[in-house]
Amino acid sequence: IQRLMLSYCIPGTHLHMLRLILPVLIGVLGTQGHVLGLAEITHMTQSYPVEVKELFAGQPHLKQQLEAAIRAATAKTARLAPAQQAFNSPANAAPKIALKMDFSNFK
């Protein structure tokens, strides 16, 4: 929705729309750590770099909130990485429990 709203803006008014959208996305990213919110913010900073720099220059607390949210999301990803690797480990590993009965003919 944010991309659509920005695409319909009159040229030169993107800063006004970013002033509305970015604080909301940063707030969501800070509270819930959504990866999609971070992806949207990254897209906006790449699409409108001058406007985003101007916005952060005028509201430095937003930049601090974004940096804190990114650090929190990175820390969360680092904590979850070992569990994710264990989850994605190959299922072809030998079973740890030896069965006494042969189930190869089970139908």
Side-chain angles (χ1 to χ4, degrees), residues 1-9 17 21 40 43 48:
I1 293 177
Q2 298 88 0
R3 292 182 191 186
L4 183 64
M5 291 169 60
L6 285 167
S7 69
Y8 283 119
C9 284
M17 190 59 70
I21 296 172
E40 286 298 317
H43 175 73
Y48 309 101

Side-chain angles (χ1 to χ4, degrees), residues 7 9 13 25-27 37 41 45 48-49 54 56-57 61 64 66 68 72-73 82-83 90 95 99 105:
S7 69
C9 284
T13 61
L25 286 175
I26 291 171
I41 291 170
T45 57
Y48 309 101
E54 187 177 334
F56 285 149
H61 68 280
Q64 293 169 352
L66 178 60
L99 299 177
N105 294 326

Side-chain angles (χ1 to χ4, degrees), residues 72-93:
T74 304
K76 182 179 180 182
T77 303
R79 282 193 318 266
L80 294 178
Q84 187 67 23
Q85 287 175 347
F87 183 74
N88 291 334
S89 66
N92 301 355

